[in-house]
Amino acid sequence: MEWYDEVPWSKLCYACQKPFLHQESVGPNFSIEGRRFFLHQRCAELPREIPEHPLHPNHKLTLLAESPYRRDDELHCCHRCRKALVKFTYHCSLCEFDLHFSCAFIDTKLNHPCHPEHPLTLLQRPSIFSCDACWERGDEQESYICVDCQVWIHESCAFLPTTNYRKDHDHPLSLVYSVPNEFRRFGIPCDYCLRDIPSRSWVYYCGPCRYIIHLGCFEKYRNPRYIIHLGCFEKYRNPSDFGGSIESHLAKVMSRDNLVKFPTNDSAEVFNHVLRKEFGMEIVAVPERVKLRRCEHSIDSLDLQNVSNSKNNEITCDVCTKAILFSSGKCEECNYFFHFTCAQLPGELPVLYQWSSQEFTLSFLEDVRDKFTCYACKLDSNGYYFVAEKNYLDVTCALLPSRLIHKAHEHPLERTVGLETTHQKCRSCGDCFSFVFGYACFDCDFSLDYACITLPEIVNHRWDKHPLLLSFPPFSDRPGDFYCEICEEEIHPKRWHYHCKECNQSFHPLCIPRVLYRNFTFGGIFEFGSHPHPLKLAREGGYHSRCDSCHEPMYCKRVFQCATCWFCICFSCATKVSKFKTKVMFDEDIPPFNF
């Protein structure tokens, strides 16, 4: 027999199949033909025979290392607890009387780390109570209780392992007897049932990943959510089954099911896919001549490499307001830029949602100060839109596919059409949204609203010289707390945000003007009588700039500004100005502000 100072946390006692509590971490180690196993010291010192046991006084009981019956024999069980026989059984061969050794020697007192003030007393009669560990009713189990403090837990909960594993998480989970402060501060729900966890509940959690699960959910649902539905399990298995990463798994699903991958910065590719696959339209990659609905002028092809655009300004499509990444078109007379796909949008779209009985008609705004709020993503826009029954949808939301694959989830997401009376929490921002404008994986209870589905994958910000990548939980590579560099508030550990690995900087999505105003095109210019110079619409004002009308700070806010005399006026004040004697134009020759 060899002694070890510490028993590995993953081992169970060979005799009682219960874990080693902290105060029992020292015990003997035995070896049989080179194989090690562990025993509690009390289990190693069990007597070989019991001459007269109170439950069987006529014959002696002999300790056996294994059950004397066949493993598939369900007729024989412990005569005290009526449960199946396991290792180390006291047996009477004459009467076929059997007792678990734990039932033969009952520990009436237990010093448990959940209640260090007093020992817990074993209550051997089944009682009706609410367990302080798992919050389940205990009416058929033995339990431990502290009468003075009214602490009452199941016997099975009392001997839970302090460290455990789940199939849907890569790291070991630690058992704690109350919700940790970092989870309590943000109100992080159970990762399985998504319900709030009482602060005094026992939970299993992983600190670096901010993963937490109810004790009840851990015991009841050993398998992850995505394998409960058999059809879903067979079609979309765990990425590890493919022998690769989550990226390789998503690539295979996307290729097999012909889905568009999100997040993306290439909106034209998404539009092209939807118009071709879901609306049956023929889209020309590079048409010889097209006309833009807004100006009806002839349009010429444009090579981005030959465009001398203004410094610090990206070229955006005046139809969908998204960045132009490849060759596109331009109207030389109006100085409009656009994707070729956006120039071929149909004038009407079929009924997209059940709440609308009319077709959606394509339209656009006339004045540079006009804007609308998209009914789906709730973001302001000044680009083209589809309207039906006074409901406005920007081009991006109107042309989202019915099914898509997202980097934040293992399975394809379905557009939740016709569930307008149902509300769910977005797993990205935590806000409640109507299921009409969302995507969901119902097997995993994973939902996203339109605003988060359309977040760009990569953005730039003046405070970081590197591209910022959209990040999803769990953030195991950044176990500490992280704060938004703009608003300086702590970022919720379960919320999506933009992050730069090189500089270790994080940002709330809506704190970045390029994300908040991603449905806006900038550069439009208008003139009015109160100011002698033209004003140019910019994404944000300077760090110390203020509106010359309402005197509100213009930093990170849309602003009309003058490049000649540094005059600026906020978007809200500009919309209040009378349009009398207002000249609208688009001019790329006026230089932007340098911040």
Side-chain angles (χ1 to χ4, degrees), residues 195-319:
R195 296 178 180 176
D196 294 334
I197 306 176
S199 59
R200 294 180 59 187
S201 296
W202 293 19
V203 294
Y204 278 104
Y205 84 105
C206 175
C209 299
R210 300 299 202 280
Y211 180 95
I212 190 168
I213 186 170
H214 281 113
L215 206 59
C217 290
F218 186 93
E219 291 299 314
K220 283 184 178 179
Y221 311 109
R222 286 286 183 171
N223 291 325
R225 294 194 70 96
Y226 56 76
I227 69 173
I228 292 178
H229 190 284
L230 186 59
C232 183
F233 174 64
E234 291 300 325
K235 192 173 183 181
Y236 308 112
R237 290 183 180 271
N238 192 357
S240 61
D241 295 338
F242 289 93
S245 63
I246 182 66
E247 287 79 8
S248 62
H249 164 65
L250 294 179
K252 291 181 180 180
V253 174
M254 181 176 63
S255 176
R256 179 187 63 204
D257 295 349
N258 194 20
L259 301 177
V260 181
K261 182 182 177 182
F262 281 75
T264 181
N265 285 68
D266 190 359
S267 59
E269 179 185 2
V270 178
F271 302 157
N272 196 307
H273 174 87
V274 173
L275 294 175
R276 287 174 180 270
K277 301 298 182 181
E278 301 193 18
F279 296 103
M281 294 181 56
E282 182 179 353
I283 303 298
V284 181
V286 182
E288 294 182 358
R289 305 288 290 181
V290 294
K291 285 188 177 182
L292 193 63
R293 180 180 297 271
R294 185 171 184 173
C295 63
E296 297 296 337
H297 296 143
S298 297
I299 304 300
D300 296 323
S301 298
L302 177 71
D303 189 352
L304 290 184
Q305 295 181 354
N306 298 327
V307 176
S308 57
N309 195 36
S310 298
K311 186 179 179 180
N312 296 332
N313 280 351
E314 63 181 3
I315 301 178
T316 58
C317 174
D318 286 285
V319 178

Side-chain angles (χ1 to χ4, degrees), residues 17 47 49 67 101 108 142 202 410 418 550 567 571 579:
Q17 295 297 300
E49 295 181 348
S67 171
F101 82 95
T108 58
E142 295 179 350
W202 293 19
E410 301 92 342
C550 65
F567 174 87
F571 195 89
K579 298 180 181 178

Side-chain angles (χ1 to χ4, degrees), residues 69-103:
Y69 311 105
R70 299 194 311 270
R71 292 188 176 182
D72 58 350
D73 193 343
E74 299 179 356
L75 298 178
H76 296 86
C77 57
C78 175
H79 282 73
R80 180 179 178 274
C81 65
R82 299 300 176 183
K83 294 182 181 179
L85 299 175
V86 289
K87 313 289 185 180
F88 279 37
T89 302
Y90 280 99
H91 174 68
C92 174
S93 59
L94 298 177
C95 306
E96 291 191 347
F97 181 88
D98 301 279
L99 287 176
H100 293 132
F101 82 95
S102 57
C103 293

